[in-house]
Amino acid sequence: MRRGRPGALPRGTAGRTLTSVGAGDTGDRAEEAAHDAAARLWHVTLSVSGAEAPLGEVRRALEQLAHDHPFLLTSRYANDHAEIRYWEEARDLHDAAAVALRLWGEHRSTARLPPWEIVGLEVIDRETYHQRIAEGCGPLPATPVGVHPF
C-alpha cells in the first residue's frame, strides 16, 4: 500500500512497486484483522487517594485528564480520593492492568493531578461486566459520563 500524494513517488523508489503477499489482502488490513482478533475490551476502575486537596483543583485535574484522554468514561471525586472508570482495549488482562497502573503517574504533571497513590484497581472483561450488570451485582453503568463529585 502506497501512501502520499497521488502520482508522486517517494524519494528513492523510482521504478519499484510494492506487491501484496496475501491473496488480495493488503498488509494493513491483515494487521488490523490480527489486532482485532487479539484485542479485547476491559472495564477498568482505578481508585486513588491521598492527602486532602481543594475540590476545585481535583475536579479541574480530572477534567483535564478526561480532555487529554477521551476514553475516560467517568470520574468521581472527593477532596481525598477519586475513582476513574473507562474501557481499555488490550490483548489480555495483564496489558490492560499495566496501562491502568501507569495512567495516574504518567499524567500527574500534565493534568496537574493530586499526588495521590493508587489504592485499588479492578479490571474485568466485557462479558463479566455485562453479566454483573444483568445480575444487579456490578457497578452501575457509567452514567452520566463525565467528572462528578461522590
Side-chain angles (χ1 to χ4, degrees):
M1 175 178 193
R2 200 178 74 135
R3 296 173 197 231
R5 293 179 311 186
L9 290 174
R11 286 186 210 153
T13 61
R16 291 190 304 186
T17 60
L18 298 177
T19 58
S20 174
V21 175
D25 195 12
T26 67
D28 287 346
R29 276 193 243 141
E31 186 177 310
E32 287 174 18
H35 176 267
D36 290 345
R40 295 169 55 188
L41 282 178
W42 301 89
H43 186 265
V44 176
T45 303
L46 182 70
S47 300
V48 295
S49 72
E52 289 189 11
L55 281 178
E57 290 181 22
V58 174
R59 179 181 182 90
R60 188 223 34 83
L62 290 172
E63 287 174 344
Q64 183 63 48
L65 181 62
H67 179 267
D68 293 346
H69 300 279
F71 60 83
L72 296 178
L73 288 177
T74 187
S75 297
R76 299 186 305 163
Y77 65 94
N79 61 350
D80 64 348
H81 65 283
E83 177 185 271
I84 300 168
R85 296 174 54 196
Y86 65 95
W87 288 99
E88 180 68 55
E89 185 178 51
R91 182 173 40 98
D92 58 25
L93 181 134
H94 296 280
D95 289 349
V99 170
L101 289 170
R102 289 192 311 264
L103 177 71
W104 192 261
E106 287 182 357
H107 300 288
R108 184 173 288 155
S109 62
T110 57
R112 297 194 329 249
L113 296 166
W116 296 342
E117 67 177 329
I118 296 172
V119 296
L121 174 65
E122 180 184 55
V123 180
I124 57 175
D125 68 354
R126 184 177 181 185
E127 293 77 24
T128 302
Y129 175 83
H130 288 294
Q131 180 181 0
R132 285 184 180 180
I133 297 300
E135 294 172 352
C137 299
L140 295 175
T143 55
V145 173
V147 177
H148 306 281
F150 271 105

